[in-house]
Amino acid sequence: MALFSQHVPSPKKQTPCPWCFLIPSAMASSSFSSSSTATIAFVLLLVFLGSSSAQLSTNFYSKTCPKLMTTVQSVVKSAVSKEKRMGASLLRLHFHDCFVNGCDGSILLDDTSSFTGEKTAGPNSGSVRGYNVIDDIKSEVEDACPGVVSCADIVAIAARDSVVLLGGPGWDVKLGRRDSKTASLSAANSGVIPPPTSTLSNLVNRFQAKGLSTKDMVVLSGSHTIGQARCLLFRTRIYNETNIDSSFAKTRQGSCPRTAGSGDNNPASLDVQSATVFDNKYYKNLINQKGLLHSDQVLHNGGSTDSLVEKYSKDSDSFDSDFAAAMIKMGDISPLTGSSGEIRKKCRKVNS
């Protein structure tokens, strides 16, 4: 379940001072000092910037869909019991949704005559899974409370439940997102989702572009304690890189031939020790130069993040608490709220 996988999309055009219409006209008169106007504008700006995430709350559906959490958990539990890897896939689905134009469920949309969706983008095609599980959850939720819960929120809850079911920490998921009415193949292909060949600086920059710190990046990379990656994504590392344990490389070479096109889709566990348990052994692997992806091992390779990796390798409680906090923070990336977007009836298509 490689979390990562190329040109940042152009920022949305914004009008100058979009909050200025909120400033009473009297404030432009000479009776107000420029510093007073600036102070009020700054306060209004803070309100403006925080409005979207502020509309998310942990009890958003407490009255409109009281059975939501148990409904989602039941379907996720069934899916993960059949295939533990699905837990990693549902977690990854949330990452790949949020990193492309925000946590808006756009990754779930199938292609239509009017747009090409994100499913066939380089970071997603042949690797992002779990769409059918989200469909199953949506069907159950629609039976319980039709037209109320967004697909974007379902993805967020399913990610949390997957982590818990595999032994990881829980957290109170903030809800109230609405679903996008479109998707963007170009945005998904633009590099906002860091590829597995990423340098440390690229990882730091890509996460910072989403409002996530270096610490958030390192702890969220710990999601690679579960799931698998394809030979295509780690072939260069196991054959050409030197900062890799020789026995680990040789073992991985056994199922990933050197020749491109041969065994490209053969999977290997991202965590060589406990691929189906959410724990801190991913970090122990990095210290022992057993990171499967290049973008994993750069976290502990004589750089600025070595100390964080070492901390989490020794302190599982810190990893759990920091991971939960970072997941909540990631879930706040550019949500659609209020009257924006819609509540899709089916997650694969917009409402007609």
Side-chain angles (χ1 to χ4, degrees), residues 19 37-47:
W19 61 91
T37 302
T39 300
I40 294 172
F42 178 70
V43 171
L44 290 172
L45 172 60
L46 293 180
V47 172

Side-chain angles (χ1 to χ4, degrees), residues 68-77 80 86-87 90-91 137 153-171 173 327:
L68 172 60
M69 294 301 183
T70 55
T71 301
V72 176
Q73 183 186 54
S74 176
V75 179
V76 173
K77 184 175 182 178
V80 173
M86 184 54 68
L90 292 172
L91 175 57
I137 297 172
D153 278 344
I154 286 173
V155 170
I157 300 169
R160 188 272 312 276
D161 289 352
S162 294
V163 170
V164 172
L165 286 167
L166 294 177
W171 58 91
V173 181
M327 286 296 294

Side-chain angles (χ1 to χ4, degrees), residues 3 5 20 23 25 42 45-46 68 79 118 157 179 187 225-226 228 234 247 269 287 308 312 338 346:
L3 182 161
S5 173
C20 287
I23 303 175
S25 58
F42 178 70
L45 172 60
L46 293 180
L68 172 60
E118 298 165 18
I157 300 169
D179 297 319
T225 184
I226 53 177
Q228 300 177 334
F234 60 82
S247 62
S269 298
I287 291 173
L308 278 169
Y312 292 137
K346 293 184 180 295

Side-chain angles (χ1 to χ4, degrees), residues 200-213:
L200 180 58
S201 61
N202 185 53
L203 292 175
V204 170
N205 292 337
R206 291 309 187 206
F207 275 72
Q208 284 184 344
K210 297 300 177 183
L212 298 169
S213 67

